[in-house]
Amino acid sequence: MRSAILFFSLSLFLSIVVNGQTENEHIGNKVIIILLDKSEIKGELVSENEREIVVSSTSLGLLTFKKAEVLKTIYLDKKGRMPNPNPTRYFVGQSAYTLDKGEGYYQNIYGLINLISYGITDRFSVLAGTEIISLFSGSPVLFTNLKYGVPISNKLQGALSFSYLTSVGDLLGDLSLGSLNALLTYGNKEHNVTFGTGYALANGEINNTGVLTIGGMTRLTGRLAFITENYILTSEDEALVSGGLRYMAKKLTLTLLIFQGGFPAIDIVLKF
């Protein structure tokens, strides 16, 4: 618990010191500007600040838009590809990235577990979900997650995440599990690695067994990315490792992950 709080406090301090000193990594890349009337302008990003954004369009020349006129800006990568539609999670594990305000996704795991995540602000995201079999049995298993992220520098993001699992009804008894985790992600939303540490909570008590998590992804092509998610128990010499592929479309990802021992995990994520 103390390590998580210390980690997050340090991240917040570094954010205040460093955040204003980073450069916009998207300068010179293609962007799509979506205006309030839903019209779209594609061009090269020339400059951007809190008040306005300047793009160079092949057909329209140099254009300047006030931020108040812009509904959304989509930043393409150096190869002109659409951004990763699912950068906040690997499979079950998370990165330190959060959803943008008003952005959300639906995640289905094995066709049984259903999760919905939504960005309350650019830094604060909430997630809630349930599992179908327990739902129809009358004793649904409920899951929720709260995550607050802090940009530390251009390639470093920190976050504090709290997860809670419980059940309603008598099927699973008095189920009450939670975890508090600190996350640190290095890289960008296309190529990154995340280190996490935290403690589990069971029936209101903190378990002294800590868990280290290491996850990461790298974009291989316009549609495919390699993804990994790994867990290490600090009190024992044990680890759970995995690797797999993620297929990416504009508003959809499909992930196939193979954990050690050959155990497969598959999910689909729809962005809205």
Side-chain angles (χ1 to χ4, degrees):
M1 174 75 75
R2 291 180 180 176
S3 62
I5 295 175
L6 179 60
F7 171 91
F8 192 68
S9 299
L10 180 60
S11 298
L12 184 61
F13 172 77
L14 290 174
S15 171
I16 297 173
V17 174
V18 179
N19 198 38
Q21 303 176 5
T22 59
E23 297 180 357
N24 190 331
E25 64 176 330
H26 302 291
I27 297 296
N29 291 356
K30 297 291 184 180
V31 296
I32 300 175
I33 305 296
I34 303 177
L35 302 177
L36 294 178
D37 62 2
K38 302 299 178 66
S39 59
E40 298 184 6
I41 304 294
K42 185 175 181 179
E44 181 181 309
L45 181 63
V46 177
S47 66
E48 182 180 15
N49 56 43
E50 295 180 354
R51 299 183 303 276
E52 62 182 27
I53 181 169
V54 181
V55 299
S56 176
S57 169
T58 303
S59 58
L60 301 175
L62 199 64
L63 302 171
T64 301
F65 300 97
K66 294 181 179 179
K67 281 297 183 71
E69 303 173 326
V70 177
L71 178 65
K72 186 177 182 180
T73 303
I74 300 176
Y75 301 94
L76 308 186
D77 67 9
K78 294 181 179 180
K79 297 182 179 180
R81 303 177 299 195
M82 292 292 293
N84 177 9
N86 183 17
T88 64
R89 302 185 76 87
Y90 298 110
F91 192 83
V92 176
Q94 306 176 75
S95 71
Y97 294 117
T98 54
L99 293 167
D100 293 336
K101 180 179 179 180
E103 187 178 59
Y105 67 77
Y106 162 74
Q107 180 182 19
N108 181 279
I109 302 174
Y110 291 125
L112 298 174
I113 301 172
N114 299 276
L115 304 169
I116 293 179
S117 186
Y118 186 76
I120 304 298
T121 71
D122 288 343
R123 294 189 179 185
F124 180 60
S125 300
V126 298
L127 179 147
T130 187
E131 186 268 340
I132 290 179
I133 296 177
S134 63
L135 179 65
F136 285 104
S137 71
S139 298
V141 175
L142 306 176
F143 177 78
T144 187
N145 172 264
L146 307 175
K147 182 165 68 171
Y148 186 83
V150 176
I152 299 172
S153 70
N154 198 32
K155 291 189 176 182
L156 197 63
Q157 174 92 3
L160 187 63
S161 172
F162 175 73
S163 300
Y164 184 69
L165 180 71
T166 188
S167 64
V168 179
D170 300 326
L171 183 63
L172 296 177
D174 188 17
L175 179 63
S176 178
L177 302 173
S179 66
L180 181 63
N181 299 87
L183 304 166
L184 192 65
T185 297
Y186 177 78
N188 54 47
K189 293 182 178 181
E190 310 297 333
H191 310 277
N192 59 70
V193 61
T194 296
F195 299 92
T197 182
Y199 290 94
L201 295 86
N203 299 318
E205 297 183 359
I206 298 176
N207 190 320
N208 291 327
T209 301
V211 179
L212 297 178
T213 61
I214 303 175
M217 70 155 290
T218 185
R219 195 162 185 167
L220 303 175
T221 69
R223 296 291 188 184
L224 289 178
F226 171 79
I227 185 171
T228 182
E229 184 173 305
N230 312 283
Y231 300 88
I232 302 170
L233 294 178
T234 57
S235 62
E236 302 178 24
D237 188 19
E238 294 185 6
L240 180 63
V241 299
S242 72
L245 293 175
R246 169 171 289 170
Y247 171 82
M248 298 183 293
K250 184 177 181 181
K251 292 189 176 183
L252 175 147
T253 64
L254 179 64
T255 304
L256 174 61
L257 207 61
I258 304 297
F259 284 90
Q260 66 182 71
F263 180 75
I266 186 168
D267 81 340
I268 184 170
V269 172
L270 302 174
K271 185 177 178 181
F272 60 86

